[in-house]
Amino acid sequence: VQLQASGGGLVKPGGSLRLSCAASAFSLDYYSIGWFRQAPGKEREGVSCISSGRRTFYADSAEGRITVSIDKVKNTVFLQMNSLKPEDTAVYYCAARPGVVVTTALESYEYEHWGQGTQVTVSS
């Protein structure tokens, strides 16, 4: 199981970014993908999850601004982030866990496989 996160960068407040999480050596039909972030000096927190059953979950801080989606052909999960704020600045990670997610979607300890992070910086 391998995950490759990309798409981070520097963006001004109010701007948008789309992060990608490319999965290899496993099918997203059988794994759920979570997005997490960690800001300097802070604990890792869950942002969003798309279950293998295609149900989606969002942190309160992400609701209405962030959308998670999947491209089955590309075996890739996307995190579209709009109306970005400076407090969204963090390293963003994608992670995988087998099966359908019903609860604990944003709990990092439930995820078995992690990709490397991609830096998102929101600053004017």
Side-chain angles (χ1 to χ4, degrees), residues 104-123:
T104 66
L106 301 182
E107 299 291 344
S108 59
Y109 64 83
E110 293 282 7
Y111 290 79
E112 299 180 3
H113 309 284
W114 291 79
Q116 91 296 348
T118 185
Q119 175 71 47
V120 171
T121 303
V122 184
S123 175

Side-chain angles (χ1 to χ4, degrees), residues 64-76:
R65 301 188 300 122
I66 292 176
T67 304
V68 64
S69 62
I70 189 169
D71 184 325
K72 289 185 62 176
V73 173
K74 296 181 178 180
N75 214 36
T76 298

Side-chain angles (χ1 to χ4, degrees), residues 25-89:
F26 70 100
S27 172
L28 294 176
D29 285 340
Y30 306 107
Y31 279 78
S32 299
I33 300 296
W35 283 97
F36 297 83
R37 67 185 184 186
Q38 188 164 19
K42 294 188 177 181
E43 293 186 356
R44 186 172 297 184
E45 63 175 349
V47 177
S48 181
C49 166
I50 183 163
S51 171
S52 60
R54 301 299 177 255
R55 181 180 174 184
T56 57
F57 303 81
Y58 296 97
D60 290 344
S61 60
E63 200 72 52
R65 301 188 300 122
I66 292 176
T67 304
V68 64
S69 62
I70 189 169
D71 184 325
K72 289 185 62 176
V73 173
K74 296 181 178 180
N75 214 36
T76 298
V77 173
F78 300 100
L79 191 72
Q80 178 67 44
M81 303 191 294
N82 301 323
S83 302
L84 284 164
K85 307 174 183 179
E87 49 264 44
D88 292 318
T89 295

